[in-house]
Amino acid sequence: MALTEIRWHGRGGQGAKTAALLLADVCFKNDKYVQGFPEYGPERMGAPITAYNRISDRELRVHSNIYEPDFVVVVDETLLEATDVTEGLNPEGAIVINTTKSADEVKTHLRGYQGKVFTLDARRISVEALGKYFPNSPMLAAIVAVSGVIDRDTFLSQMRDSYRNKFAKKPEVIDGNMKALTVAYDEIAAQINKGDVCNG
C-alpha cells in the first residue's frame, strides 16, 4: 500500500471526525504513516462536515485537504442531495454510504460515478448493538473492510484496546461498540465476497 486517501462526509454530532481520528490511530499502531483531520464549516450540530485520512507505508509530506480520494464514506445519506460526495473520487476506488437503500437505488444520486458503491444500514446496526444511533462505529468498520488498510482481526483487536481506554469508566459500552464494528465489517465483507456491489 503506497498511499490511501479517504474522505468522510457527515454532519456535526454524528462522529465522522472521531471515526477519522480512530482510523488514523489504529493504522498508526499498525506501523503506518497517518493523517486524520477534519475540515469545518460552522461548527454546529447537524452542519455538514468533512474529514480526511491519509494512510501510507511511507512518510507523508503532503498536508493539504484531499481532493482526489481513493475512498469516500458518507455517514449521512441526506448529503447525497446537498453535496457532490463523489467529487474527485477515484473510479478505481469505492464509496460507502450509510443508508437503508441498496447500492443500485443510491447510484442515481452519485452524479455518474463509475466506481464501486457499498451501502450499510448503520442505524440498524448501531441501535441493535448500542441501543442508540451512533453511525460512526459501523461506518468506520465498513471503510476498513472496503479499503483493506488494516486486516479484520488486527483492526478489531486494536479497537477493543482503544475502547478500553476511552470507556474505562463505562465498560458496559465496550461490548456494544465491538458488536457494531464486527457486524458492520462482516456485512460489508459479505457484499464484497458475493460480488453484491454496484458499479456506477
Side-chain angles (χ1 to χ4, degrees):
M1 178 185 71
L3 173 66
T4 299
E5 295 184 317
I6 299 168
R7 188 173 68 216
W8 298 74
H9 293 277
R11 294 188 181 277
Q14 293 178 331
K17 178 189 81 169
T18 299
L21 296 177
L22 283 169
L23 180 57
D25 186 51
V26 296
C27 288
F28 176 76
K29 290 175 180 174
N30 205 41
D31 298 323
K32 304 294 184 185
Y33 292 94
V34 299
Q35 294 174 359
F37 56 97
E39 174 190 49
Y40 288 107
E43 294 186 38
R44 64 181 189 276
M45 190 72 73
I49 71 144
T50 310
Y52 305 94
N53 285 113
R54 281 191 180 93
I55 302 160
S56 179
D57 293 324
R58 300 176 182 176
E59 185 176 356
L60 293 166
R61 300 183 182 276
V62 179
H63 296 278
S64 65
N65 289 348
I66 293 171
Y67 301 103
E68 296 183 339
D70 300 293
F71 302 97
V72 163
V73 187
V74 181
V75 183
D76 188 313
E77 70 174 310
T78 64
L79 293 169
L80 297 178
E81 301 291 345
T83 305
D84 183 2
V85 296
T86 61
E87 183 177 4
L89 178 55
N90 186 342
E92 299 299 314
I95 184 168
V96 188
I97 303 165
N98 172 19
T99 179
T100 59
K101 299 182 178 76
S102 70
D104 280 326
E105 289 174 308
V106 297
K107 73 176 182 180
T108 57
H109 301 285
L110 299 182
R111 309 189 188 202
Y113 176 64
Q114 295 299 306
K116 293 176 180 173
V117 181
F118 295 90
T119 60
L120 184 78
D121 186 353
R123 179 182 294 277
R124 170 184 55 79
I125 292 170
S126 174
V127 170
E128 288 177 359
L130 292 159
K132 293 182 180 179
Y133 181 40
F134 296 112
N136 58 335
S137 286
M139 296 309 289
L140 170 59
I143 192 57
V144 169
V146 168
S147 66
V149 292
I150 185 170
D151 72 81
R152 178 187 184 278
D153 292 344
T154 302
F155 167 66
L156 292 174
S157 174
Q158 292 183 350
M159 285 304 300
R160 184 175 287 279
D161 289 342
S162 293
Y163 287 147
R164 282 185 181 132
N165 291 329
K166 183 177 181 180
F167 301 121
K169 295 183 179 179
K170 295 193 293 182
E172 66 278 4
V173 304
I174 295 173
D175 285 345
N177 274 284
M178 291 306 303
K179 180 179 178 182
L181 290 175
T182 304
V183 170
Y185 188 105
D186 291 347
E187 285 193 13
I188 291 292
Q191 289 182 40
I192 295 169
N193 292 334
K194 289 194 312 183
D196 186 17
V197 54
C198 170
N199 282 292

